[in-house]
Amino acid sequence: MPPHPDVFPPVDHVIDYLRRYEERYDLAVERPVTVLDVRADAEGLTVETDRGAVRARFVVNATGTWSAPFVPLVDGAPSFAGRQLHSAHYRGPQDFAGQRVAVVGGGNSGVQITADLVRVVERVSLVSTRRLRFLPDDVDGRHLFDRATARLRQADPVDQEAAFVGEIVALPRVREARAKGALRLRAMFDRMVPEGAVIGRDVLQLDAVIWCTGYRPALRHLRSLRLRTSDGHPQVVANRAVKDPRVCFVGYGDWTGPASATLIGVGRTAKALAASIAEDLCQPC
């Protein structure tokens, strides 16, 4: 990627790099196209889209997780009279001014949104099933990125991505909220009621609940193939589905390679998968 004067390139710089990459290698990208379903038969795969069907010998899925936010099933949640939204749809504290808000989730998103809301809401309650785990205050996102990059550049990188999950980066506004006592945890809801949530013998009066409960792989378009396991994703070896090796996956997190949900991490597994598919394509059908 071309250098940028800022320490961290803005999103427009990254998008411009990807656009130039596409143009340089004359990639045949069609957009916008929505994949509705993928079906398999002995001769190959059929990709059903809103612009017609495509036949393929292999299908590589790189849809990530960001379009599939996860909200847990909580008893009584449909009866809650207030607003519920996932952190994916959070746009800022101004939407909750003067309200009583519960933020569910003890990771970075939950803590950062709680810190964001402290100044404008009547009350914000941080709810989680686990204790908060803060990184040292002098450790920032760049430090984590550098550590992940160093692992990827090792000859035989060990996938320690899970070690970073739940480790909260103490951003300045997070430290400020922590100092004010705004990050004191409450136990997870036992159930929800129209006026709020029940925790033990208490009813927490609420106007809104923000679910900071993560994402799942965006694989609904593969439902006809019945590849999912109890882990919520297909079983894969070398980025191919064990059940049907013609169906491939890159960019979903640790189950598709170390740091594979990032641009730097996905490169290693994508390159290996592309070479493997190219070799297979040279074989007769």
Side-chain angles (χ1 to χ4, degrees):
M1 186 183 300
H4 190 275
D6 293 344
V7 175
F8 296 104
V11 64
D12 289 345
H13 185 73
V14 178
I15 292 174
D16 182 64
Y17 162 70
L18 295 175
R19 183 182 297 113
R20 289 172 182 266
Y21 185 98
E22 179 183 322
E23 293 171 352
R24 175 179 177 178
Y25 293 102
D26 194 25
L27 303 178
V29 178
E30 296 183 24
R31 63 170 67 89
V33 178
T34 299
V35 176
L36 306 174
D37 197 10
V38 178
R39 294 181 286 103
D41 55 47
E43 285 72 40
L45 301 161
T46 300
V47 181
E48 299 284 355
T49 82
D50 60 351
R51 293 177 58 180
V54 179
R55 288 287 291 174
R57 289 177 61 184
F58 297 91
V59 169
V60 178
N61 297 277
T63 47
T65 64
W66 301 108
S67 61
F70 170 73
V71 175
L73 295 175
V74 176
D75 186 32
S79 71
F80 177 55
R83 181 185 179 191
Q84 298 186 61
L85 72 156
H86 190 274
S87 57
H89 307 119
Y90 175 79
R91 293 295 177 265
Q94 63 279 356
D95 295 339
F96 304 92
Q99 296 185 14
R100 301 161 297 180
V101 183
V103 178
V104 182
N108 277 292
S109 294
V111 168
Q112 290 175 19
I113 288 176
T114 300
D116 206 27
L117 293 171
V118 166
R119 296 164 292 169
V120 301
V121 299
E122 177 183 324
R123 184 191 71 235
V124 58
S125 302
L126 180 58
V127 177
S128 178
T129 57
R130 62 180 182 177
R131 60 183 293 184
L132 303 182
R133 293 186 298 156
F134 288 91
L135 288 162
D137 288 359
D138 61 344
V139 175
D140 58 15
R142 182 181 179 86
H143 178 85
L144 294 179
F145 184 82
D146 288 344
R147 284 173 60 185
T149 301
R151 290 201 314 276
L152 285 171
R153 288 175 176 166
Q154 294 172 3
D156 296 303
V158 177
D159 183 12
Q160 299 175 349
E161 186 177 275
F164 293 105
V165 175
E167 293 185 340
I168 299 164
V169 180
L171 299 173
R173 73 171 184 271
V174 170
R175 296 198 297 269
E176 181 181 343
R178 185 178 59 189
K180 291 179 179 178
L183 300 182
R184 293 194 182 98
L185 278 181
R186 298 203 62 155
M188 182 54 192
F189 309 150
D190 295 316
R191 67 182 188 279
M192 296 179 69
V193 292
E195 63 270 27
V198 176
I199 304 175
R201 297 182 179 180
D202 299 330
V203 176
L204 186 63
Q205 302 286 332
L206 295 171
D207 301 300
V209 175
I210 303 174
W211 299 97
C212 301
T213 44
Y215 299 80
R216 294 294 183 268
L219 300 175
R220 183 170 174 76
H221 61 288
L222 300 180
R223 58 193 178 279
S224 294
L225 300 179
R226 300 183 181 277
L227 298 175
R228 285 184 188 256
T229 67
S230 59
D231 293 330
H233 57 73
Q235 181 183 2
V236 302
V237 172
N239 294 84
R240 299 193 189 207
V242 171
K243 188 174 180 180
D244 189 337
R246 300 172 299 180
V247 184
C248 312
F249 302 86
V250 292
Y252 293 92
D254 56 356
W255 62 277
T256 52
S260 69
T262 67
L263 281 177
I264 189 170
V266 75
R268 178 187 290 265
T269 50
K271 185 176 182 179
L273 178 62
S276 173
I277 291 174
E279 182 178 353
D280 284 354
L281 287 173
C282 292
Q283 304 301 320
C285 296

